Coordinates of all heavy atoms in Angstrom, one line a residue:
M1 N -14.7 -32.3 6.4 CA -14.1 -31.4 7.4 C -14.4 -29.9 7.1 O -14.2 -29.5 5.9 CB -12.6 -31.6 7.5 CG -12.0 -31.1 8.7 SD -10.3 -31.7 8.9 CE -9.4 -30.3 9.1
A2 N -15.0 -29.2 8.0 CA -15.3 -27.9 7.7 C -14.1 -27.0 7.5 O -13.0 -27.3 8.1 CB -16.2 -27.3 8.9
E3 N -14.3 -26.0 6.8 CA -13.1 -25.1 6.6 C -12.9 -24.3 7.9 O -13.8 -23.9 8.6 CB -13.4 -24.0 5.5 CG -13.3 -24.6 4.1 CD -13.4 -23.5 3.1 OE1 -13.1 -22.4 3.3 OE2 -14.0 -23.8 2.0
P4 N -11.7 -24.2 8.2 CA -11.4 -23.4 9.5 C -11.7 -22.0 9.3 O -11.7 -21.4 8.2 CB -9.9 -23.6 9.6 CG -9.3 -23.9 8.2 CD -10.5 -24.6 7.5
A5 N -12.2 -21.4 10.4 CA -12.5 -20.0 10.4 C -11.3 -19.2 10.2 O -10.3 -19.3 10.9 CB -13.2 -19.6 11.6
E6 N -11.3 -18.4 9.1 CA -10.1 -17.7 8.7 C -10.4 -16.2 8.4 O -11.4 -16.0 7.7 CB -9.5 -18.3 7.5 CG -8.0 -18.7 7.5 CD -7.6 -19.3 6.2 OE1 -7.5 -18.7 5.2 OE2 -7.4 -20.5 6.2
T7 N -9.6 -15.4 8.9 CA -9.9 -14.0 8.6 C -8.6 -13.3 8.3 O -7.5 -13.8 8.6 CB -10.6 -13.3 9.8 OG1 -9.8 -13.4 10.9 CG2 -12.0 -13.7 10.0
R8 N -8.7 -12.2 7.7 CA -7.5 -11.4 7.4 C -7.4 -10.3 8.4 O -8.4 -9.8 8.9 CB -7.6 -10.8 6.0 CG -7.5 -11.8 4.9 CD -6.2 -12.6 5.0 NE -6.3 -13.7 4.0 CZ -5.9 -13.6 2.8 NH1 -5.4 -12.5 2.2 NH2 -5.9 -14.7 2.0
F9 N -6.2 -10.0 8.7 CA -5.9 -8.9 9.7 C -4.7 -8.1 9.3 O -3.8 -8.7 8.8 CB -5.7 -9.6 11.0 CG -5.2 -8.7 12.1 CD1 -6.2 -8.0 12.8 CD2 -3.9 -8.6 12.4 CE1 -5.8 -7.1 13.9 CE2 -3.6 -7.7 13.5 CZ -4.5 -7.0 14.1
N10 N -4.8 -6.8 9.5 CA -3.7 -6.0 9.3 C -3.2 -5.4 10.6 O -4.1 -4.9 11.4 CB -4.0 -4.9 8.3 CG -4.1 -5.4 6.9 OD1 -5.1 -5.9 6.5 ND2 -3.0 -5.2 6.2
C11 N -2.0 -5.5 10.8 CA -1.5 -4.9 12.0 C -1.7 -3.4 12.0 O -1.5 -2.7 11.1 CB 0.1 -5.1 12.1 SG 0.8 -4.3 13.5
P12 N -2.4 -3.0 13.1 CA -2.8 -1.5 13.1 C -1.6 -0.6 13.2 O -1.6 0.6 12.9 CB -3.6 -1.4 14.4 CG -3.2 -2.6 15.3 CD -2.8 -3.7 14.3
N13 N -0.4 -1.2 13.6 CA 0.8 -0.4 13.7 C 1.6 -0.3 12.5 O 2.0 0.7 12.0 CB 1.6 -0.9 14.9 CG 2.7 0.1 15.3 OD1 2.4 1.3 15.4 ND2 3.9 -0.4 15.5
C14 N 1.9 -1.5 11.8 CA 2.7 -1.5 10.7 C 2.1 -2.0 9.4 O 2.7 -2.1 8.4 CB 4.0 -2.3 11.0 SG 3.6 -4.1 11.1
S15 N 0.8 -2.4 9.6 CA 0.0 -2.9 8.4 C 0.5 -4.2 7.8 O 0.2 -4.5 6.7 CB 0.1 -1.8 7.3 OG -0.6 -0.7 7.7
A16 N 1.3 -5.0 8.5 CA 1.7 -6.3 8.1 C 0.4 -7.1 8.0 O -0.5 -7.0 8.7 CB 2.6 -6.9 9.1
Q17 N 0.4 -7.9 6.9 CA -0.8 -8.7 6.7 C -0.7 -10.1 7.3 O 0.3 -10.8 7.2 CB -0.9 -9.0 5.2 CG -1.4 -7.8 4.4 CD -1.8 -8.1 3.0 OE1 -1.3 -9.1 2.4 NE2 -2.9 -7.5 2.5
Y18 N -1.8 -10.4 8.0 CA -1.8 -11.7 8.7 C -3.1 -12.5 8.3 O -4.1 -11.9 8.0 CB -1.9 -11.5 10.2 CG -0.6 -11.1 10.8 CD1 -0.3 -9.8 11.1 CD2 0.3 -12.0 11.2 CE1 0.8 -9.4 11.6 CE2 1.5 -11.7 11.8 CZ 1.8 -10.3 12.0 OH 2.9 -9.9 12.5
K19 N -2.9 -13.8 8.3 CA -4.1 -14.6 8.3 C -4.4 -15.0 9.7 O -3.4 -15.4 10.4 CB -3.8 -15.9 7.4 CG -5.0 -16.8 7.3 CD -4.6 -18.0 6.4 CE -3.7 -19.0 7.2 NZ -3.5 -20.2 6.4
V20 N -5.6 -14.9 10.1 CA -5.9 -15.2 11.5 C -6.8 -16.4 11.6 O -7.8 -16.5 10.9 CB -6.6 -14.1 12.2 CG1 -6.8 -14.4 13.7 CG2 -5.8 -12.8 12.1
V21 N -6.4 -17.4 12.4 CA -7.2 -18.6 12.5 C -7.6 -18.8 14.0 O -6.8 -18.6 14.9 CB -6.4 -19.9 12.1 CG1 -7.2 -21.1 12.2 CG2 -5.9 -19.8 10.7
K22 N -8.9 -19.0 14.1 CA -9.4 -19.2 15.5 C -9.3 -20.6 15.9 O -9.8 -21.5 15.1 CB -10.8 -18.7 15.6 CG -11.0 -17.2 15.4 CD -12.4 -16.8 15.6 CE -12.6 -15.3 15.5 NZ -13.9 -14.9 15.8
V23 N -8.8 -20.9 17.0 CA -8.8 -22.3 17.4 C -9.5 -22.3 18.8 O -9.2 -21.5 19.7 CB -7.3 -22.9 17.5 CG1 -6.8 -23.2 16.2 CG2 -6.5 -21.9 18.3
E24 N -10.3 -23.3 18.9 CA -10.9 -23.5 20.2 C -9.9 -23.8 21.3 O -9.1 -24.6 21.1 CB -12.0 -24.6 20.1 CG -13.2 -24.2 20.9 CD -14.4 -25.1 20.6 OE1 -14.5 -25.6 19.5 OE2 -15.1 -25.5 21.6
A25 N -10.1 -23.1 22.4 CA -9.1 -23.3 23.5 C -9.9 -23.8 24.8 O -11.0 -23.3 25.0 CB -8.4 -22.0 23.8
P26 N -9.2 -24.6 25.5 CA -9.8 -25.0 26.8 C -9.9 -23.8 27.7 O -9.1 -22.9 27.6 CB -8.7 -25.9 27.4 CG -7.9 -26.4 26.3 CD -7.9 -25.3 25.3
A27 N -11.0 -23.8 28.5 CA -11.3 -22.6 29.2 C -10.1 -22.1 30.2 O -9.9 -21.0 30.4 CB -12.5 -22.8 30.1
L28 N -9.4 -23.1 30.6 CA -8.3 -22.8 31.5 C -6.9 -22.6 30.9 O -5.9 -22.4 31.5 CB -8.2 -23.9 32.5 CG -9.4 -24.1 33.4 CD1 -9.2 -25.3 34.4 CD2 -9.7 -22.8 34.3
A29 N -6.9 -22.6 29.5 CA -5.6 -22.5 28.9 C -5.0 -21.1 29.1 O -5.7 -20.1 29.2 CB -5.8 -22.7 27.3
N30 N -3.8 -21.1 29.3 CA -3.1 -19.8 29.4 C -3.1 -19.2 28.1 O -2.9 -19.8 27.1 CB -1.7 -20.0 29.9 CG -1.6 -20.5 31.4 OD1 -2.4 -20.0 32.1 ND2 -0.6 -21.3 31.7
V31 N -3.3 -17.9 28.1 CA -3.2 -17.1 26.9 C -1.9 -16.5 26.8 O -1.5 -15.6 27.6 CB -4.4 -16.0 26.9 CG1 -4.3 -15.2 25.6 CG2 -5.7 -16.7 27.1
E32 N -1.2 -16.8 25.8 CA 0.1 -16.2 25.6 C 0.0 -14.8 24.9 O -1.0 -14.6 24.1 CB 1.0 -17.1 24.6 CG 1.3 -18.4 25.2 CD 2.0 -19.3 24.2 OE1 2.7 -18.7 23.3 OE2 1.8 -20.5 24.3
E33 N 0.8 -14.0 25.2 CA 0.8 -12.7 24.6 C 1.1 -12.9 23.1 O 2.0 -13.8 22.8 CB 1.9 -11.8 25.2 CG 1.6 -11.3 26.5 CD 0.7 -10.2 26.5 OE1 0.8 -9.3 25.7 OE2 -0.3 -10.1 27.4
V34 N 0.5 -12.2 22.2 CA 0.8 -12.3 20.8 C 1.3 -10.9 20.4 O 0.7 -9.9 20.7 CB -0.5 -12.7 20.0 CG1 -0.1 -12.7 18.5 CG2 -1.0 -14.0 20.4
N35 N 2.4 -10.9 19.7 CA 2.9 -9.7 19.2 C 3.2 -9.8 17.7 O 3.4 -10.8 17.2 CB 4.3 -9.4 19.9 CG 4.1 -9.1 21.4 OD1 4.2 -10.0 22.2 ND2 3.7 -7.9 21.7
C36 N 3.0 -8.6 17.1 CA 3.3 -8.5 15.7 C 4.7 -9.0 15.4 O 5.7 -8.6 16.0 CB 3.0 -7.1 15.2 SG 3.5 -6.9 13.5
L37 N 4.8 -9.9 14.4 CA 6.2 -10.4 14.1 C 7.0 -9.3 13.4 O 8.2 -9.4 13.4 CB 6.1 -11.6 13.1 CG 5.4 -12.9 13.7 CD1 5.2 -13.9 12.6 CD2 6.2 -13.4 14.8
N38 N 6.3 -8.4 12.9 CA 7.1 -7.4 12.2 C 7.5 -6.2 13.0 O 8.6 -5.7 13.0 CB 6.2 -6.9 11.0 CG 6.9 -6.0 10.1 OD1 8.1 -6.3 9.7 ND2 6.3 -4.9 9.7
C39 N 6.6 -5.7 13.8 CA 6.9 -4.5 14.6 C 6.8 -4.7 16.1 O 7.2 -3.8 16.9 CB 5.9 -3.4 14.2 SG 4.3 -3.6 14.7
G40 N 6.2 -5.9 16.5 CA 6.2 -6.2 17.9 C 5.0 -5.6 18.7 O 4.9 -5.7 19.9
A41 N 4.1 -5.0 18.0 CA 2.9 -4.4 18.6 C 2.1 -5.6 19.2 O 2.0 -6.7 18.6 CB 2.1 -3.6 17.6
A42 N 1.4 -5.3 20.3 CA 0.6 -6.3 20.9 C -0.7 -6.6 20.1 O -1.3 -5.6 19.6 CB 0.2 -5.9 22.3
L43 N -1.0 -7.8 19.9 CA -2.2 -8.1 19.1 C -3.2 -8.9 19.9 O -2.8 -9.5 21.0 CB -1.8 -9.0 17.9 CG -0.8 -8.5 17.0 CD1 -0.4 -9.5 15.9 CD2 -1.2 -7.2 16.3
Q44 N -4.4 -8.8 19.6 CA -5.5 -9.6 20.4 C -5.1 -11.1 20.3 O -5.0 -11.6 19.2 CB -6.8 -9.3 19.8 CG -7.9 -9.9 20.6 CD -9.3 -9.7 19.9 OE1 -9.4 -9.1 18.8 NE2 -10.3 -10.2 20.5
A45 N -5.1 -11.7 21.5 CA -4.7 -13.1 21.5 C -5.8 -14.0 21.7 O -5.7 -15.2 21.5 CB -3.7 -13.3 22.6
R46 N -7.0 -13.4 22.0 CA -8.1 -14.3 22.4 C -9.4 -13.6 22.0 O -9.6 -12.5 22.1 CB -8.0 -14.5 23.9 CG -9.2 -15.3 24.4 CD -8.8 -16.0 25.7 NE -9.5 -17.1 25.8 CZ -9.3 -18.1 26.7 NH1 -8.3 -18.0 27.5 NH2 -10.0 -19.2 26.7
D47 N -10.3 -14.5 21.5 CA -11.6 -14.0 21.2 C -12.6 -14.9 21.8 O -12.9 -15.9 21.3 CB -11.8 -13.8 19.7 CG -13.2 -13.3 19.3 OD1 -13.9 -12.8 20.2 OD2 -13.5 -13.4 18.1
G48 N -13.2 -14.6 23.0 CA -14.1 -15.5 23.7 C -13.4 -16.7 24.0 O -12.3 -16.7 24.7
K49 N -13.9 -17.9 23.6 CA -13.2 -19.1 23.9 C -12.2 -19.5 22.8 O -11.7 -20.6 22.9 CB -14.3 -20.2 24.1 CG -15.0 -20.5 22.8 CD -16.0 -21.7 23.1 CE -16.7 -22.0 21.8 NZ -17.5 -23.3 21.9
F50 N -12.0 -18.7 21.9 CA -11.0 -19.0 20.9 C -9.7 -18.3 21.1 O -9.6 -17.2 21.5 CB -11.6 -18.6 19.5 CG -12.8 -19.3 19.1 CD1 -14.0 -18.7 19.2 CD2 -12.7 -20.6 18.6 CE1 -15.2 -19.4 18.8 CE2 -13.8 -21.3 18.3 CZ -15.1 -20.7 18.4
L51 N -8.6 -19.0 20.7 CA -7.4 -18.4 20.6 C -7.1 -18.0 19.2 O -7.6 -18.6 18.3 CB -6.3 -19.4 21.0 CG -6.2 -19.8 22.4 CD1 -5.0 -20.8 22.6 CD2 -6.0 -18.7 23.4
L52 N -6.5 -16.9 19.1 CA -6.3 -16.4 17.7 C -4.8 -16.6 17.4 O -3.9 -16.3 18.0 CB -6.5 -14.8 17.6 CG -7.9 -14.4 18.1 CD1 -8.0 -12.9 18.0 CD2 -9.0 -15.1 17.3
K53 N -4.7 -17.3 16.2 CA -3.3 -17.7 15.7 C -3.1 -16.8 14.5 O -3.8 -16.7 13.6 CB -3.2 -19.1 15.3 CG -3.6 -20.1 16.3 CD -2.3 -20.4 17.2 CE -2.6 -21.5 18.1 NZ -1.5 -21.7 19.0
Y54 N -1.9 -16.1 14.6 CA -1.6 -15.2 13.5 C -0.5 -15.8 12.6 O 0.5 -16.3 13.1 CB -1.1 -13.9 14.1 CG -2.2 -13.1 14.8 CD1 -2.5 -13.3 16.1 CD2 -2.8 -12.1 14.1 CE1 -3.5 -12.6 16.7 CE2 -3.8 -11.4 14.8 CZ -4.1 -11.6 16.1 OH -5.1 -10.9 16.7
F55 N -0.8 -15.7 11.3 CA 0.2 -16.2 10.3 C 0.5 -15.0 9.4 O -0.3 -14.5 8.7 CB -0.3 -17.3 9.5 CG -0.6 -18.6 10.4 CD1 -1.9 -18.8 10.8 CD2 0.4 -19.5 10.7 CE1 -2.2 -19.9 11.6 CE2 0.1 -20.5 11.5 CZ -1.2 -20.8 12.0
L56 N 1.8 -14.6 9.4 CA 2.2 -13.5 8.6 C 2.2 -14.0 7.2 O 2.7 -14.9 6.8 CB 3.6 -13.1 9.0 CG 4.2 -11.8 8.4 CD1 3.3 -10.6 8.8 CD2 5.6 -11.6 8.8
I57 N 1.4 -13.3 6.4 CA 1.2 -13.7 4.9 C 1.8 -12.6 4.0 O 1.9 -12.9 2.9 CB -0.2 -14.0 4.5 CG1 -1.1 -12.7 4.8 CG2 -0.7 -15.1 5.3 CD1 -2.5 -12.9 4.3
G58 N 2.0 -11.4 4.5 CA 2.5 -10.4 3.6 C 3.7 -9.7 4.3 O 3.7 -9.5 5.5
P59 N 4.7 -9.4 3.4 CA 5.7 -8.6 4.0 C 5.2 -7.3 4.4 O 4.1 -6.9 4.1 CB 6.7 -8.4 2.8 CG 5.8 -8.5 1.6 CD 4.7 -9.5 2.0
K60 N 5.9 -6.6 5.3 CA 5.3 -5.4 5.7 C 5.0 -4.5 4.5 O 5.8 -4.4 3.6 CB 6.3 -4.7 6.6 CG 7.4 -3.9 6.0 CD 8.1 -3.2 7.1 CE 9.5 -2.9 6.6 NZ 10.4 -2.4 7.6
T61 N 3.8 -4.0 4.5 CA 3.4 -3.1 3.4 C 3.7 -1.7 3.9 O 3.3 -1.3 5.0 CB 1.9 -3.3 3.1 OG1 1.2 -3.2 4.3 CG2 1.7 -4.6 2.5
K62 N 4.4 -1.0 3.1 CA 4.7 0.4 3.4 C 3.3 1.2 3.5 O 2.4 0.9 2.8 CB 5.6 1.0 2.4 CG 6.9 0.1 2.3 CD 8.1 0.9 2.5 CE 9.3 0.0 2.6 NZ 10.1 0.0 1.5
R63 N 3.4 2.2 4.3 CA 2.2 3.0 4.4 C 1.7 3.6 3.2 O 0.5 3.7 2.8 CB 2.4 4.1 5.5 CG 2.6 3.5 6.8 CD 1.5 3.9 7.8 NE 1.6 3.0 8.9 CZ 1.0 3.3 10.1 NH1 0.4 4.4 10.2 NH2 1.1 2.4 11.1
D64 N 2.6 4.1 2.4 CA 2.2 4.6 1.1 C 1.8 3.5 0.2 O 2.4 2.5 0.2 CB 3.3 5.5 0.5 CG 4.6 4.7 0.4 OD1 4.6 3.5 0.6 OD2 5.6 5.4 0.1
R65 N 0.8 3.7 -0.6 CA 0.3 2.6 -1.4 C 1.0 2.6 -2.8 O 0.6 3.3 -3.7 CB -1.2 2.6 -1.6 CG -1.8 3.8 -1.0 CD -3.2 3.6 -0.4 NE -3.2 3.9 1.0 CZ -4.4 3.9 1.6 NH1 -5.5 3.6 1.1 NH2 -4.4 4.2 2.9
R66 N 2.0 1.8 -2.9 CA 2.7 1.5 -4.1 C 3.1 2.7 -5.0 O 3.2 2.7 -6.1 CB 2.0 0.4 -5.0 CG 0.9 1.0 -5.8 CD 0.4 -0.1 -6.8 NE 0.0 -1.3 -6.1 CZ -0.4 -2.4 -6.7 NH1 -0.5 -2.4 -8.0 NH2 -0.7 -3.4 -6.0
K67 N 3.2 3.8 -4.3 CA 3.8 5.0 -5.0 C 5.2 5.1 -4.5 O 5.5 5.1 -3.3 CB 3.0 6.3 -4.6 CG 1.9 6.6 -5.6 CD 1.9 8.1 -5.9 CE 1.4 8.3 -7.3 NZ 0.9 9.6 -7.6
R68 N 6.1 5.2 -5.4 CA 7.6 5.1 -5.3 C 8.0 3.8 -4.7 O 7.7 3.1 -3.8 CB 8.2 6.3 -4.5 CG 7.9 6.3 -3.1 CD 7.6 7.3 -2.1 NE 8.5 8.5 -2.0 CZ 9.3 8.6 -1.0 NH1 9.6 7.6 -0.3 NH2 9.9 9.7 -0.7
Ligands
LIG101 ZN1 3.0 -4.8 13.2

């Protein structure tokens, strides 16, 4: 079984870390809105014929990088 296509994604709004998995979707499938679980920002839900599934893997990372 081939490894699923997996990419990392950071919410452009809150920088929450996601693992993104592409799943092939029927052409007529309804595309649900996807929102960031952390901040609610709209995320890309579809890439061509693939649906994008987001899995939150990191707690929200503060904008400052580990200072204070
Ligand atoms: Zn977010």
Side-chain angles (χ1 to χ4, degrees):
M1 199 165 128
E3 283 186 31
E6 230 179 73
T7 53
R8 293 298 172 89
F9 173 83
N10 284 82
C11 175
N13 192 46
C14 71
S15 298
Q17 287 195 324
Y18 286 93
K19 180 178 77 175
V20 182
V21 178
K22 290 184 179 185
V23 285
E24 218 169 322
L28 296 178
N30 286 327
V31 179
E32 295 174 32
E33 288 280 319
V34 178
N35 294 96
C36 176
L37 295 174
N38 188 45
C39 72
L43 304 176
Q44 182 183 3
R46 172 155 214 167
D47 180 12
K49 65 176 181 173
F50 296 101
L51 292 181
L52 303 180
K53 302 275 188 186
Y54 290 84
F55 299 94
L56 189 61
I57 58 173
K60 78 174 160 192
T61 52
K62 306 237 168 108
R63 292 246 163 160
D64 52 10
R65 8 212 121 171
R66 83 169 54 177
K67 267 222 150 160
R68 75 218 302 261

